[in-house]
Amino acid sequence: MNIFDKNFKEIFSTQLVSIIGGLIAGTLLAIYTDKIFIIPGMLILIPGMLEMRNSIDGSFASRLSAGLFLHVISPKHTKTKIIRGNLFAALFLGMVVSLFLGLIAYVFNYLILNVSTPEIILIPIIAGLIANLIELPLTLSATLFLFNRGHDPNNIMGPFITSTGDIISIISLLIALVII
Amino acid sequence: MIQKIKNHKTLKKNINFLTKIEREKHHPLLHHIHKKLGISRKTIFYIKEYGPRSHVADVIIKESIFILILTSFLSAFGGIALENMKDIFIAILPFVILYPALNNMVGSYGSVISSKFGTMLLEGKIKSSWWKNAELRKLFSQIMIIAVVTGSIGAAASLILAGFSDYVVTSKIAIKIFGIVLLDVIILVGILFALSIFAGEHYFKKQEDPNNFLIPITTSVGDLGNGLILAFLIALLF
């Protein structure tokens, strides 16, 4: 039973790429700890926001890849109904999930910590909007670029989205905190 | 109404009808188009979901929103466990640095384990005594080794990065951090495997595609478990 086969190497290499992105995001968290964690409930938002980016952008990239391989989507025509619909759905889902996370954090703060922090509802919405506006075009461009170069985007977009999603989520949170 | 595909016009009418068929229902038109024109079932499915007469955004939102909210809910609960001991957590700088990477790792293992197990189920490789399956045991060994190695790399990197700041890294702290990270990933890989096997077999027996359910379930349980286990171990050791 050869454990260190091609499968092992593929999983291991994608994990290493994901870790690098996660560590960069974590370093940003560590540098700006006093700004991020000053508001109660931020630790409730962070895992949800990181998970949300992976789920939404990962599914988006996966649907795009499937459409490209099935020749239902053309890499030369990006202003099509399918792509516009995907972008709108991803944006909408991002906003809904961000609102939901903000409400959970607010309820926790109110019930457990006896603190009313309405800004905790706005922070993930603003951060989610900023992250969507950066990450969605990036995901679209990267998927089309990889496909045009003859690569299978499914093999590469997973760790790419995980790494960039983490970094962009933390940066978006910081920008949202500055705005609020 | 199905019409015999004689020409381009009847094909177009049939494809428009195709988009109205509910996704769970099989319709002989799907088989008819596949056989007559040699269009793959995957393409037909994609056109049915996202074709010219479908509302793409509606389809995606309806199919994804429930599971996304559920996974976010579970992830948030993991965060609640850490929020309860926030002061201790943010005082240990290596954990702040490592937390997003640990979350990613656990989520990825959930995806890999559940998608590979789901594929094994669909290929008929899993019989009643799954514990005797050599491929499954190999997958378990691979994931466990990768989890331990990448967890160690992450812990080491976080300690090095924390050392660049005012945080004092002693050997005692380093051992505790390595211990917590390794325990966390080992326990979670075990939980995710068990969940994939039992939930996968459950959905497979109900004639559902396990891949549709396992991946979101395992990634969100991974996030929840990561937060709970980290909170418990940090409270215990620090």
Side-chain angles (χ1 to χ4, degrees):
Chain A
M1 184 167 75
N2 178 25
I3 288 177
F4 304 104
D5 56 7
K6 185 184 164 207
N7 197 40
F8 180 91
K9 288 171 193 164
E10 277 177 8
I11 299 171
F12 186 66
S13 50
T14 53
Q15 285 304 304
L16 279 179
V17 172
S18 297
I19 279 183
I20 292 169
L23 286 170
I24 295 172
T27 306
L28 284 170
L29 265 182
I31 293 169
Y32 295 104
T33 300
D34 51 345
K35 290 185 174 52
I36 291 175
F37 294 113
I38 198 165
I39 299 175
M42 290 302 288
L43 269 170
I44 300 170
L45 290 182
I46 289 170
M49 290 209 62
L50 297 178
E51 168 69 30
M52 174 181 75
R53 284 268 61 82
N54 292 342
S55 302
I56 292 175
D57 296 328
S59 305
F60 176 48
S62 179
R63 280 190 297 271
L64 278 180
S65 298
L68 286 164
F69 279 113
L70 295 172
H71 304 292
V72 179
I73 296 175
S74 163
K76 292 176 188 162
H77 302 111
T78 54
K79 293 181 185 172
T80 58
K81 187 184 164 190
I82 285 182
I83 292 179
R84 281 203 306 266
N86 268 278
L87 284 169
F88 176 78
L91 193 65
F92 179 82
L93 288 168
M95 293 292 95
V96 167
V97 175
S98 299
L99 172 65
F100 186 72
L101 283 170
L103 287 170
I104 293 179
Y106 177 79
V107 166
F108 171 81
N109 285 350
Y110 190 74
L111 292 178
I112 309 295
L113 301 179
N114 290 320
V115 168
S116 176
T117 50
E119 59 271 26
I120 201 85
I121 301 173
L122 281 176
I123 288 168
I125 293 173
I126 296 171
L129 181 64
I130 296 168
N132 269 330
L133 291 175
I134 300 170
E135 188 77 14
L136 290 175
L138 185 65
T139 303
L140 176 63
S141 315
T143 307
L144 294 175
F145 174 78
L146 288 167
F147 183 78
N148 282 331
R149 287 287 172 128
H151 299 292
D152 181 356
N154 288 314
N155 292 340
I156 300 165
M157 288 307 290
F160 175 79
I161 283 166
T162 308
S163 301
T164 53
D166 284 353
I167 299 167
I168 290 168
S169 294
I170 301 297
I171 293 174
S172 307
L173 262 176
L174 286 167
I175 296 172
L177 282 166
V178 168
I179 293 170
I180 297 287
Chain B
M1 281 299 198
I2 304 172
Q3 296 184 20
K4 266 198 169 172
I5 299 174
K6 295 177 194 168
N7 53 39
H8 181 70
K9 274 188 190 166
T10 50
L11 172 62
K12 199 176 170 184
K13 277 185 187 165
N14 279 320
I15 287 179
N16 288 337
F17 178 71
L18 196 62
T19 59
K20 291 176 191 148
I21 299 169
E22 285 175 27
R23 65 184 299 274
E24 299 87 13
K25 291 189 178 350
H26 174 73
H27 197 286
L29 177 61
L30 301 168
H31 181 74
H32 182 63
I33 292 176
H34 168 65
K35 276 284 177 201
K36 182 83 180 177
L37 297 170
I39 299 174
S40 79
R41 292 183 204 279
K42 286 182 187 172
T43 306
I44 295 170
F45 175 79
Y46 203 90
I47 292 171
K48 192 164 95 58
E49 292 282 285
Y50 309 119
R53 295 284 172 137
S54 67
H55 199 279
V56 176
D58 261 0
V59 170
I60 294 167
I61 290 167
K62 271 185 210 162
E63 289 179 11
S64 312
I65 195 151
F66 173 71
I67 203 75
L68 273 176
I69 287 177
L70 178 65
T71 54
S72 304
F73 188 73
L74 288 174
S75 299
F77 259 87
I80 286 172
L82 285 172
E83 182 72 27
N84 269 324
M85 25 117 43
K86 184 170 87 171
D87 294 334
I88 305 172
F89 180 75
I90 62 176
I92 310 167
L93 202 62
F95 274 124
V96 177
I97 296 170
L98 192 53
Y99 185 61
L102 262 182
N103 246 28
N104 283 346
M105 276 196 315
V106 168
S108 300
Y109 298 141
S111 291
V112 169
I113 293 165
S114 47
S115 67
K116 291 210 180 277
F117 185 72
T119 304
M120 283 184 205
L121 278 170
L122 291 169
E123 288 175 348
K125 290 181 181 175
I126 304 291
K127 308 294 175 198
S128 53
S129 48
W130 49 265
W131 54 91
K132 291 181 186 171
N133 186 293
E135 203 175 324
L136 193 61
R137 287 209 302 260
K138 182 178 164 184
L139 178 66
F140 180 79
S141 307
Q142 287 177 327
I143 300 292
M144 196 55 90
I145 292 170
I146 292 170
V148 167
V149 171
T150 52
S152 304
I153 292 172
S158 68
L159 285 163
I160 292 168
L161 288 166
F164 284 114
S165 70
D166 296 334
Y167 189 80
V168 176
V169 179
T170 62
S171 53
K172 198 173 167 188
I173 288 174
I175 290 168
K176 283 183 185 177
I177 286 172
F178 265 95
I180 288 174
V181 168
L182 292 178
L183 265 175
D184 181 43
V185 296
I186 289 169
I187 292 170
L188 278 171
V189 167
I191 291 173
L192 293 174
F193 251 96
L195 183 62
S196 295
I197 288 168
F198 291 113
E201 288 198 324
H202 168 74
Y203 283 111
F204 190 64
K205 279 174 190 161
K206 285 175 77 178
Q207 303 202 333
E208 297 271 8
D209 181 357
N211 288 315
N212 291 339
F213 300 90
L214 283 186
I215 294 174
I217 290 172
T218 51
T219 48
S220 53
V221 166
D223 281 347
L224 171 66
N226 189 38
L228 290 173
I229 292 171
L230 274 181
F232 173 72
L233 291 173
I234 290 172
L236 193 67
L237 293 175
F238 277 94

